[in-house]
Amino acid sequence: MHFQMKDLTPRERYKLLISSVTPRPIAWVTTIGANGVVNAAPYSFFNAFGDSPALLVLGLLHDGEGADKDTATNIKAGGEFVVNLVREDDIEQMNLSCADVPRDVSEIEYAGIATAPALEVAPPLIATSPVSFECRLVEALDIGTRQSVVIGEVLVTHVADEFVTDPERLYLDTPAMRLVGRLHGSGNYVRTTDTFTVPRPRYDPERLAGRDSTSP
Ligand SMILES: Cc1cc2nc3c(=O)[nH]c(=O)nc-3n(C[C@H](O)[C@H](O)[C@H](O)COP(=O)(O)O)c2cc1C
């Protein structure tokens, strides 16, 4: 079965994407509004896209009224944001912070989130996050009528000391962070505990020797 995306509604396209592109990491994004209120909200249209400079990208859909969500408004106006990664123990606060909280109310207080000052940007870090990235806006792309794609350069990466196993070689104890990801549906998440290792192969020309080019 296939689906011509142009024949579907936005909601239907969204369903196909979020039901299949899984697991997705979660960016718990902190920003500051023009009114000085600190905003926090989770975004799973998120990933890392480069290292020179280090880039993070967020997909911010419009709200029910077709307007930018607070995170998008604040990033476009202030040019700064912090991406905090989510550990299992923060699921409840992260989930509370996705509620439709009025613009003049801070999710930080509403959800009881602990914060710490950032070094280079105004929005704070989430203190309990194993890793936080201080970001400066590189570009906000309004593609279509329903969303903005925000590209940020990572200025500073914070890793909680307990997860840095070798500061010289930058080895991190990623499993110990117990990060969670987003799955299909509206309330499904995944732990990062069921892992396996596949060594990366070298090219081996012998694999092709004598093989019929039509065989798989
Ligand atoms: C785990 C999770 C991931 C989410 N990912 C996104 C996303 O990628 N894009 C989006 O527009 N909304 C996403 N949402 C919904 C927003 O968090 C929600 O609309 C929130 O109220 C936006 O807050 P803001 O207006 O303070 O930015 C997600 C919600 C949850 C719980």
Side-chain angles (χ1 to χ4, degrees), residues 174-216:
T174 310
M177 295 178 192
R178 301 185 73 84
L179 299 173
V180 292
R182 186 76 190 267
L183 284 181
H184 58 282
S186 66
N188 293 318
Y189 294 87
V190 64
R191 296 186 177 88
T192 44
T193 43
D194 183 9
T195 68
F196 58 97
T197 303
V198 181
R200 193 166 172 159
R202 285 177 188 278
Y203 177 62
D204 175 11
E206 290 298 310
R207 276 186 60 79
L208 297 172
R211 189 181 290 180
D212 173 355
S213 62
T214 58
S215 63

Side-chain angles (χ1 to χ4, degrees), residues 138-162:
V138 175
E139 204 159 334
L141 304 166
D142 289 346
I143 299 172
T145 54
R146 262 175 57 86
Q147 65 208 4
S148 299
V149 172
V150 159
I151 304 171
E153 175 180 350
V154 181
L155 304 178
V156 184
T157 298
H158 298 259
V159 184
D161 291 351
E162 63 191 289

Side-chain angles (χ1 to χ4, degrees), residues 72-91:
T73 303
N74 296 350
I75 293 174
K76 288 177 183 177
E80 295 180 342
F81 58 103
V82 178
V83 168
N84 307 275
L85 301 184
V86 182
R87 60 182 187 134
E88 271 180 50
D89 286 353
D90 283 337
I91 270 287

